Amino acid sequence: MSTDFTQEQLAFAQAVAAFGSKEAGTREQRDALTENGTHTHNQALYEKMAALGWLGVTVPEEFGGADGSTVDMCILLEQSAKAMAPIGGIGPTLITGAAYSKFGSPAQKESVLGGIVAGRSYSISMSEPEAGSDVGNLSCRAEKTDGGWVINGQKTWCSNAHFADRILLVARTGRGGGKHEGLTMFDVPADVDGLSIVGIGTMGGKEVNDLYFTDCVLPEDSVIGVEGQGWSQLMTGLNIERLILAAMMLGTAQRAFDDTLEFITQRKQFGRPVGTFQALRHRIADLATEIECGRLLVYHVARLVDENPTTLFPREASMAKLKLTETAKKVALEGMQMMGGYGYATEFDMEKHVRTTLVSSIYGGTNEIQRDIIGKTYGL
Ligand SMILES: Cc1cc2nc3c(=O)[nH]c(=O)nc-3n(C[C@H](O)[C@H](O)[C@H](O)COP(=O)(O)OP(=O)(O)OC[C@H]3O[C@@H](n4cnc5c(N)ncnc54)[C@H](O)[C@@H]3O)c2cc1C
């Protein structure tokens, strides 16, 4: 754990860890909370965290939040991921909340930021079947009508829309000179007429959805921020989005490491714990070193963002996302190998860590795209 935390931050980390251990510490508890792993989010558990005042960690005080720092947010995400607390709503909710916080009208802020504090979930929908990495090329359309907007088109891969309260939709309101012009953010109630939400089957259970908009009518005041400025508004959220994903993968990497260490310390072959064979001991040393490097990077970037809230850190934020997702994936895969057949068995959590971490290099901008962004900051 970073030694640069304040006493308050250390206490916060310990409180989240203790909560996770009490509520989701055993496999039986986690199975009960997730219907045997088919769901990523348990609303009752999430509301308990809301009642403790944790979900509004970065929400301003005027909306009932704790007005905490980006470091505080990363502590919450790292510790809850490490505890395997099934609160899949938290990542997209905090990403979405940051956009409402910056660009929302007073009424939108009241509703969404207040909702985050109370334990409601929110989704963000940019991706489309033909606009994934090239998301600026999206074509879901919002037409202005008398007193409102009509949305038509398909979105895909929308995390948590099946239990979200509202969805931050990015749609095309115009075609300017470039593809990034003419995009607008909209505030969409998840139960609005004209929107159909259909789950996509994945290795992770019920998590992502296709969204079909058919003549879906939204009121005029549904625009978040400025019409036509959706792309530049999205760009201002990238520091936070990448840090959120990195912090969650830091927690998952640490958990996969801890689970591996526990197993290889107990498992004996040839009359000794398998962890004492140099082949495994050295891998543990390498993984521990990588996790510590990743932890330093996450909290370094979080502090940069706290100290410079209006500055974009494309290089550092992408490095954090890249490094922590690759590290988490590596720890889980190595953990599975070091546990032998037991790592592959559903009785143990390692196969879940593998599934959780595999996809982390795809969502939130693939790691190929993160490498591209980092490379561009070196003038390439
Ligand atoms: C579990 C999950 C949750 C998600 N949640 C959300 C969400 O809540 N909201 C949302 O809007 N989206 C979400 N997404 C979508 C996600 O952001 C996209 O899947 C991702 O951006 C990649 O798009 P794609 O899947 O269409 O792949 P593609 O863009 O088709 O890419 C295919 C491959 O080509 C590579 N590639 C593409 N372009 C380049 C390039 N220029 N240079 C080098 N390599 C390139 C990619 O890295 C990838 O390996 C989610 C996805 C998943 C799997």
Side-chain angles (χ1 to χ4, degrees):
M1 189 174 288
S2 166
T3 49
D4 291 340
F5 289 162
T6 63
Q7 284 305 314
E8 208 179 357
Q9 287 169 336
L10 279 174
F12 182 43
Q14 282 158 6
V16 178
F19 173 87
S21 166
K22 177 169 165 274
E23 300 286 339
T26 68
R27 181 61 180 268
E28 289 70 29
Q29 284 173 305
R30 291 195 295 279
D31 281 349
L33 290 166
T34 60
E35 289 181 29
N36 296 320
T38 51
H39 291 274
T40 61
H41 181 84
N42 182 281
Q43 186 58 21
L45 184 72
Y46 200 56
E47 285 176 16
K48 278 189 189 174
M49 293 177 78
L52 288 162
W54 293 346
L55 300 183
V57 60
T58 49
V59 171
E61 273 175 26
E62 60 178 307
F63 300 105
D67 213 0
S69 63
T70 311
V71 170
D72 298 334
M73 179 193 76
C74 289
I75 291 173
L76 173 67
L77 294 168
E78 179 191 351
Q79 293 301 329
S80 49
K82 186 176 158 209
M84 295 184 77
I87 51 165
I90 195 166
T93 296
L94 294 183
I95 292 169
T96 308
Y100 278 91
S101 203
K102 280 200 196 89
F103 304 109
S105 65
Q108 288 168 345
K109 285 187 189 173
E110 189 75 43
S111 148
V112 171
L113 301 182
I116 291 174
V117 173
R120 287 195 278 279
S121 291
Y122 301 92
S123 293
I124 182 161
S125 180
M126 301 167 282
S127 302
E128 296 182 1
E130 300 306 323
S133 297
D134 189 11
V135 72
N137 202 30
L138 61 86
S139 61
C140 177
R141 207 162 165 84
E143 301 281 355
K144 210 172 208 164
T145 59
D146 269 358
W149 298 89
V150 178
I151 316 288
N152 276 293
Q154 185 190 345
K155 290 287 180 182
T156 192
W157 300 121
C158 186
S159 294
N160 307 335
H162 53 298
F163 62 83
D165 223 50
R166 310 182 84 81
I167 298 165
L168 188 163
L169 168 74
V170 185
R172 186 162 292 287
T173 46
R175 273 266 175 210
K179 64 187 174 189
H180 296 140
E181 292 172 37
L183 300 181
T184 302
M185 287 182 171
F186 289 93
D187 170 46
V188 181
D191 60 356
V192 68
D193 283 344
L195 167 59
S196 152
I197 300 173
V198 181
I200 302 172
T202 69
M203 289 165 74
K206 291 179 183 162
E207 53 180 346
V208 282
N209 304 274
D210 282 317
L211 309 184
Y212 298 93
F213 290 92
T214 311
D215 295 331
C216 174
V217 176
L218 298 177
E220 197 168 3
D221 61 2
S222 306
V223 170
I224 304 168
V226 179
E227 182 187 336
Q229 294 300 307
W231 186 257
S232 56
Q233 290 179 195
L234 274 177
M235 291 302 105
T236 68
L238 291 183
N239 285 344
I240 289 295
E241 174 177 342
R242 289 177 184 154
L243 267 176
I244 286 170
L245 304 178
M248 291 193 300
M249 281 305 120
L250 170 61
T252 303
Q254 186 65 60
R255 177 58 178 261
F257 177 88
D258 293 349
D259 287 353
T260 306
L261 186 58
E262 186 183 351
F263 185 90
I264 66 172
T265 305
Q266 288 168 7
R267 170 76 175 165
K268 285 191 179 145
Q269 289 293 283
F270 302 98
R272 56 193 263 204
V274 292
T276 63
F277 292 114
Q278 191 185 56
L280 275 67
R281 200 168 63 224
H282 281 190
R283 272 144 103 178
I284 283 290
D286 286 344
L287 297 177
T289 306
E290 290 215 28
I291 293 171
E292 274 316 306
C293 290
R295 175 170 288 111
L296 291 172
L297 182 59
V298 166
Y299 288 102
H300 165 65
V301 180
R303 288 193 178 95
L304 275 181
V305 172
D306 282 333
E307 285 158 18
N308 309 274
T310 56
T311 308
L312 287 184
F313 293 99
R315 178 187 295 174
E316 293 81 359
S318 285
M319 282 179 171
K321 199 268 176 180
L322 173 65
K323 177 66 186 165
L324 273 300
T325 54
E326 293 295 341
T327 298
K329 199 155 67 167
K330 184 172 175 184
V331 176
L333 287 169
E334 291 275 354
M336 181 174 272
Q337 183 68 24
M338 286 191 269
M339 285 177 67
Y342 301 96
Y344 188 63
T346 54
E347 181 193 344
F348 291 88
D349 290 322
M350 198 55 65
E351 61 82 31
K352 158 93 172 130
H353 299 324
V354 168
R355 286 184 287 117
T356 302
T357 57
L358 278 183
V359 72
S360 69
S361 55
I362 295 174
Y363 59 49
T366 67
N367 282 5
E368 288 81 0
I369 296 298
Q370 305 302 333
R371 288 185 176 95
D372 243 31
I373 292 167
I374 296 165
K376 278 183 189 153
T377 70
Y378 289 97
L380 299 173

Short mmCIF file of all heavy atoms in Angstrom, two decimals, residues 124-127 131-134 156-159 207-208 359 362-366 368-369 372, ligand 1:
data_model
loop_
_atom_site.label_atom_id
_atom_site.label_comp_id
_atom_site.label_asym_id
_atom_site.label_seq_id
_atom_site.Cartn_x
_atom_site.Cartn_y
_atom_site.Cartn_z
N ILE A 124 -22.92 4.72 -19.63
CA ILE A 124 -22.49 5.63 -20.70
C ILE A 124 -22.49 4.84 -22.00
O ILE A 124 -22.02 3.71 -22.05
CB ILE A 124 -21.12 6.26 -20.39
CG1 ILE A 124 -20.71 7.23 -21.49
CG2 ILE A 124 -20.03 5.23 -20.16
CD1 ILE A 124 -19.63 8.22 -21.06
N SER A 125 -23.07 5.42 -23.05
CA SER A 125 -23.23 4.70 -24.31
C SER A 125 -22.65 5.49 -25.47
O SER A 125 -23.25 6.47 -25.93
CB SER A 125 -24.72 4.42 -24.54
OG SER A 125 -24.88 3.73 -25.75
N MET A 126 -21.49 5.03 -25.91
CA MET A 126 -20.84 5.64 -27.08
C MET A 126 -20.74 4.62 -28.20
O MET A 126 -21.04 4.91 -29.35
CB MET A 126 -19.42 6.09 -26.69
CG MET A 126 -19.37 7.08 -25.57
SD MET A 126 -17.69 7.28 -24.93
CE MET A 126 -17.50 5.83 -23.93
N SER A 127 -20.29 3.40 -27.87
CA SER A 127 -19.95 2.40 -28.89
C SER A 127 -21.15 1.99 -29.73
O SER A 127 -22.27 1.89 -29.23
CB SER A 127 -19.38 1.15 -28.23
OG SER A 127 -18.25 1.48 -27.46
N ALA A 131 -18.84 1.45 -34.93
CA ALA A 131 -17.99 2.49 -34.35
C ALA A 131 -17.50 2.03 -32.98
O ALA A 131 -18.14 2.28 -31.95
CB ALA A 131 -18.75 3.81 -34.23
N GLY A 132 -16.38 1.28 -32.98
CA GLY A 132 -15.79 0.77 -31.75
C GLY A 132 -14.58 1.63 -31.39
O GLY A 132 -14.70 2.71 -30.80
N SER A 133 -13.38 1.19 -31.81
CA SER A 133 -12.19 2.03 -31.58
C SER A 133 -12.35 3.38 -32.28
O SER A 133 -11.91 4.41 -31.76
CB SER A 133 -10.95 1.31 -32.12
OG SER A 133 -10.74 0.11 -31.41
N ASP A 134 -13.00 3.36 -33.43
CA ASP A 134 -13.24 4.61 -34.18
C ASP A 134 -14.58 5.20 -33.73
O ASP A 134 -15.47 5.46 -34.54
CB ASP A 134 -13.27 4.27 -35.68
CG ASP A 134 -13.30 5.52 -36.56
OD1 ASP A 134 -13.09 6.63 -36.02
OD2 ASP A 134 -13.53 5.37 -37.77
N THR A 156 -24.14 -0.29 -28.81
CA THR A 156 -23.79 -1.64 -28.33
C THR A 156 -22.81 -1.57 -27.16
O THR A 156 -22.29 -0.49 -26.85
CB THR A 156 -23.23 -2.50 -29.50
OG1 THR A 156 -23.17 -3.86 -29.06
CG2 THR A 156 -21.86 -2.04 -29.96
N TRP A 157 -22.61 -2.70 -26.51
CA TRP A 157 -21.66 -2.85 -25.40
C TRP A 157 -21.93 -1.89 -24.24
O TRP A 157 -20.98 -1.47 -23.57
CB TRP A 157 -20.22 -2.61 -25.88
CG TRP A 157 -19.73 -3.53 -26.93
CD1 TRP A 157 -19.28 -3.17 -28.18
CD2 TRP A 157 -19.62 -4.94 -26.87
NE1 TRP A 157 -18.91 -4.28 -28.88
CE2 TRP A 157 -19.11 -5.39 -28.10
CE3 TRP A 157 -19.91 -5.90 -25.88
CZ2 TRP A 157 -18.88 -6.73 -28.38
CZ3 TRP A 157 -19.68 -7.23 -26.16
CH2 TRP A 157 -19.17 -7.62 -27.38
N CYS A 158 -23.17 -1.52 -24.03
CA CYS A 158 -23.44 -0.56 -22.95
C CYS A 158 -23.47 -1.30 -21.61
O CYS A 158 -24.41 -2.05 -21.31
CB CYS A 158 -24.74 0.19 -23.21
SG CYS A 158 -24.98 1.50 -22.00
N SER A 159 -22.45 -1.07 -20.79
CA SER A 159 -22.34 -1.75 -19.49
C SER A 159 -23.49 -1.31 -18.58
O SER A 159 -23.75 -0.10 -18.45
CB SER A 159 -21.02 -1.41 -18.80
OG SER A 159 -19.94 -1.92 -19.52
N GLU A 207 -23.65 -8.28 -18.10
CA GLU A 207 -22.95 -7.01 -17.88
C GLU A 207 -23.17 -6.00 -18.99
O GLU A 207 -23.27 -4.81 -18.74
CB GLU A 207 -21.45 -7.24 -17.65
CG GLU A 207 -20.80 -8.08 -18.77
CD GLU A 207 -19.32 -8.32 -18.57
OE1 GLU A 207 -18.68 -7.67 -17.75
OE2 GLU A 207 -18.78 -9.20 -19.28
N VAL A 208 -23.26 -6.43 -20.25
CA VAL A 208 -23.32 -5.47 -21.37
C VAL A 208 -24.58 -5.67 -22.21
O VAL A 208 -25.18 -6.75 -22.22
CB VAL A 208 -22.07 -5.58 -22.27
CG1 VAL A 208 -20.88 -4.90 -21.65
CG2 VAL A 208 -21.76 -7.03 -22.60
N VAL A 359 -10.83 -9.04 -20.36
CA VAL A 359 -11.57 -8.04 -21.12
C VAL A 359 -11.11 -6.61 -20.80
O VAL A 359 -11.43 -5.66 -21.51
CB VAL A 359 -13.10 -8.20 -20.87
CG1 VAL A 359 -13.48 -7.75 -19.47
CG2 VAL A 359 -13.92 -7.48 -21.92
N ILE A 362 -9.66 -4.53 -23.43
CA ILE A 362 -10.53 -4.23 -24.58
C ILE A 362 -11.42 -3.01 -24.29
O ILE A 362 -11.50 -2.07 -25.09
CB ILE A 362 -11.42 -5.46 -24.93
CG1 ILE A 362 -10.52 -6.61 -25.41
CG2 ILE A 362 -12.45 -5.09 -25.98
CD1 ILE A 362 -11.26 -7.92 -25.63
N TYR A 363 -12.09 -3.01 -23.12
CA TYR A 363 -13.02 -1.89 -22.88
C TYR A 363 -12.27 -0.61 -22.49
O TYR A 363 -11.09 -0.65 -22.17
CB TYR A 363 -14.11 -2.26 -21.86
CG TYR A 363 -13.64 -2.70 -20.49
CD1 TYR A 363 -12.71 -1.98 -19.75
CD2 TYR A 363 -14.17 -3.85 -19.90
CE1 TYR A 363 -12.32 -2.36 -18.50
CE2 TYR A 363 -13.78 -4.26 -18.64
CZ TYR A 363 -12.86 -3.50 -17.95
OH TYR A 363 -12.46 -3.90 -16.70
N GLY A 364 -13.01 0.50 -22.55
CA GLY A 364 -12.41 1.79 -22.18
C GLY A 364 -11.34 2.23 -23.15
O GLY A 364 -10.43 2.99 -22.79
N GLY A 365 -11.43 1.78 -24.41
CA GLY A 365 -10.38 2.04 -25.39
C GLY A 365 -9.39 0.91 -25.32
O GLY A 365 -8.75 0.70 -24.26
N THR A 366 -9.23 0.12 -26.40
CA THR A 366 -8.36 -1.07 -26.33
C THR A 366 -6.92 -0.65 -26.03
O THR A 366 -6.54 0.52 -26.20
CB THR A 366 -8.36 -1.84 -27.67
OG1 THR A 366 -7.74 -1.01 -28.67
CG2 THR A 366 -9.76 -2.22 -28.12
N GLU A 368 -4.35 -1.41 -27.69
CA GLU A 368 -3.69 -0.95 -28.92
C GLU A 368 -3.90 0.57 -29.06
O GLU A 368 -2.96 1.30 -29.40
CB GLU A 368 -4.26 -1.67 -30.15
CG GLU A 368 -3.85 -3.14 -30.28
CD GLU A 368 -4.70 -4.08 -29.42
OE1 GLU A 368 -5.61 -3.61 -28.70
OE2 GLU A 368 -4.42 -5.29 -29.46
N ILE A 369 -5.12 1.00 -28.78
CA ILE A 369 -5.42 2.44 -28.89
C ILE A 369 -4.67 3.22 -27.80
O ILE A 369 -4.15 4.32 -28.05
CB ILE A 369 -6.95 2.67 -28.80
CG1 ILE A 369 -7.66 2.00 -30.01
CG2 ILE A 369 -7.29 4.15 -28.72
CD1 ILE A 369 -7.29 2.52 -31.38
N ASP A 372 -1.24 3.69 -28.96
CA ASP A 372 -1.24 4.70 -30.02
C ASP A 372 -1.22 6.10 -29.43
O ASP A 372 -0.49 6.98 -29.87
CB ASP A 372 -2.51 4.54 -30.87
CG ASP A 372 -2.19 4.18 -32.29
OD1 ASP A 372 -1.15 3.52 -32.50
OD2 ASP A 372 -2.96 4.60 -33.18
C1 LIG B 1 -17.21 -5.79 -21.36
C2 LIG B 1 -17.27 -4.55 -22.19
C3 LIG B 1 -17.84 -3.41 -21.64
C4 LIG B 1 -17.97 -2.25 -22.43
N1 LIG B 1 -18.62 -1.16 -21.90
C5 LIG B 1 -18.88 -0.10 -22.71
C6 LIG B 1 -19.71 0.97 -22.24
O1 LIG B 1 -20.21 0.96 -21.10
N2 LIG B 1 -19.98 1.99 -23.09
C7 LIG B 1 -19.48 2.03 -24.37
O2 LIG B 1 -19.76 3.00 -25.09
N3 LIG B 1 -18.67 1.03 -24.83
C8 LIG B 1 -18.38 -0.03 -24.04
N4 LIG B 1 -17.60 -1.06 -24.50
C9 LIG B 1 -17.08 -1.01 -25.87
C10 LIG B 1 -15.56 -0.91 -25.95
O3 LIG B 1 -15.17 0.39 -25.62
C11 LIG B 1 -15.15 -1.36 -27.36
O4 LIG B 1 -15.35 -2.77 -27.41
C12 LIG B 1 -13.72 -1.01 -27.68
O5 LIG B 1 -13.55 0.38 -27.79
C13 LIG B 1 -13.24 -1.68 -28.98
O6 LIG B 1 -14.16 -1.57 -30.00
P1 LIG B 1 -14.58 -2.88 -30.83
O7 LIG B 1 -14.99 -3.91 -29.86
O8 LIG B 1 -15.56 -2.47 -31.86
O9 LIG B 1 -13.25 -3.37 -31.53
P2 LIG B 1 -12.61 -2.79 -32.88
O10 LIG B 1 -12.52 -1.32 -32.82
O11 LIG B 1 -13.30 -3.40 -34.05
O12 LIG B 1 -11.13 -3.37 -32.80
C14 LIG B 1 -10.77 -4.70 -33.18
C15 LIG B 1 -9.27 -4.84 -32.98
O13 LIG B 1 -8.59 -3.92 -33.85
C16 LIG B 1 -7.72 -3.07 -33.08
N5 LIG B 1 -7.70 -1.74 -33.67
C17 LIG B 1 -8.75 -0.99 -34.09
N6 LIG B 1 -8.33 0.19 -34.54
C18 LIG B 1 -6.99 0.22 -34.39
C19 LIG B 1 -5.98 1.18 -34.68
N7 LIG B 1 -6.26 2.37 -35.18
N8 LIG B 1 -4.70 0.86 -34.39
C20 LIG B 1 -4.39 -0.35 -33.86
N9 LIG B 1 -5.31 -1.29 -33.56
C21 LIG B 1 -6.59 -1.02 -33.84
C22 LIG B 1 -8.34 -3.06 -31.69
O14 LIG B 1 -7.40 -2.69 -30.69
C23 LIG B 1 -8.82 -4.50 -31.56
O15 LIG B 1 -7.77 -5.32 -31.18
C24 LIG B 1 -17.45 -2.23 -23.74
C25 LIG B 1 -16.86 -3.38 -24.27
C26 LIG B 1 -16.79 -4.53 -23.52
C27 LIG B 1 -16.20 -5.77 -24.15
#
